Amino acid sequence: GESVGLHLPTLSVQEGDNSIINCAYSNSASDYFIWYKQESGKGPQFIIDIRSNMDKRQGQRVTVLLNKTVKHLSLQIAATQPGDSAVYFCAETLGQAGTALIFGKGTTLSVSS
Amino acid sequence: GAVVSQHPSRVICKSGTSVKIECRSLDFQATTMFWYRQFPKQSLMLMATSNEGSKATYEQGVEKDKFLINHASLTLSTLTVTSAHPEDSSFYICSARTSGRQSTDTQYFGPGTRLTVL
């Protein structure tokens, strides 16, 4: 069958390659999703977000894709650089004010020169 | 962008003592702050939601008497780990959310506090 993008705990790429990081979220009612980057010993850093009424959003070198049918989120990083090496987390939240983010399992991206 | 600070960045304490961690939003008002805990190589786990001027809401399994949260102003929330034990050693991260009614208000994360209990 077709792969919908299995979550991998680690991803190793060469500098200049494109990276794709996958995430499966848990709640079909979630309507807002965010990708964070976390470097060792630091707090999460916002990368890009997407609302449930969209299926794609592009930023600078990054693209987020949302597939609500299978509750899947992906982050694409173009021309990956060594500085992109970090742990990447997806997070989801419900459409209510004050609702906290629920984080998915992280993916450690390692970029070699 | 908005900045959230945490103090201290690292703390080492003896078992049985209490430790206070501060979370401040430096250039915006945060009606809601969140506290997370992160163990090595794991994801962030929400501990509690803190709203200014009211009691914090704790997640299931988080002892409110052990992890005291005070959100006394729109720019400051504190987490006090009381009678800390080695199993409380972790990376504690806060986030602050700008005022507003929409869930899409951005959350800004602090740099985290590494707690080591001996």
Side-chain angles (χ1 to χ4, degrees):
Chain A
E2 179 183 357
S3 170
V4 293
L6 187 66
H7 167 261
L8 298 174
T10 61
L11 177 65
S12 296
V13 301
Q14 292 284 328
E15 182 178 2
D17 287 351
N18 295 331
S19 303
I20 299 177
I21 300 171
N22 296 303
C23 173
Y25 62 92
S26 58
N27 193 335
S28 57
S30 293
D31 70 348
Y32 181 53
F33 306 89
I34 311 105
W35 278 101
Y36 288 94
K37 172 186 180 183
Q38 186 180 29
E39 297 175 324
S40 180
K42 297 183 179 180
Q45 176 186 354
F46 174 92
I47 301 174
I48 191 169
D49 59 358
I50 188 168
R51 300 192 69 172
S52 60
N53 61 353
M54 303 172 67
D55 53 22
K56 180 179 180 179
R57 188 162 188 229
Q58 287 186 293
Q60 190 173 19
R61 275 203 312 122
V62 293
T63 301
V64 55
L65 299 177
L66 175 62
N67 185 331
K68 294 182 291 293
T69 302
V70 294
K71 295 190 292 185
H72 179 261
L73 202 63
S74 71
L75 175 70
Q76 300 178 3
I77 305 175
T80 313
Q81 303 168 1
D84 295 327
S85 295
V87 180
Y88 289 81
F89 293 98
C90 67
E92 62 182 297
T93 189
L94 298 174
Q96 297 173 16
T99 306
L101 296 171
I102 305 301
F103 281 81
K105 298 177 182 178
T107 295
T108 300
L109 175 65
S110 299
V111 184
S112 52
S113 305
Chain B
V3 178
V4 175
S5 69
Q6 280 184 242
H7 178 78
S9 58
R10 290 177 177 271
V11 57
I12 301 173
C13 70
K14 293 182 179 180
S15 183
T17 60
S18 295
V19 175
K20 179 185 283 188
I21 302 170
E22 292 185 348
C23 177
R24 293 182 184 272
S25 56
L26 297 186
D27 50 2
F28 66 98
Q29 293 185 330
T31 52
T32 305
M33 289 184 171
F34 304 91
W35 287 96
Y36 296 82
R37 180 168 52 183
Q38 186 178 33
F39 292 108
K41 298 190 184 300
Q42 294 190 21
S43 188
L44 283 74
M45 297 299 295
L46 178 67
M47 298 175 67
T49 301
S50 168
N51 289 298
E52 186 264 337
S54 62
K55 291 184 179 180
T57 302
Y58 290 82
E59 295 299 299
Q60 192 172 10
V62 178
E63 300 174 58
K64 62 180 181 181
D65 294 330
K66 180 170 183 62
F67 298 99
L68 301 178
I69 292 173
N70 187 313
H71 193 159
S73 76
L74 286 172
T75 59
L76 173 64
S77 176
T78 61
L79 168 68
T80 301
V81 183
T82 63
S83 187
H85 291 285
E87 58 266 29
D88 298 323
S89 298
S90 188
F91 194 49
Y92 292 86
I93 307 171
C94 72
S95 70
R97 194 172 123 169
T98 54
S99 303
R101 296 184 177 275
Q102 299 300 318
S103 66
T104 54
D105 288 348
T106 304
Q107 281 191 37
Y108 299 94
F109 283 83
T113 297
R114 173 74 61 193
L115 171 62
T116 302
V117 185
L118 303 177

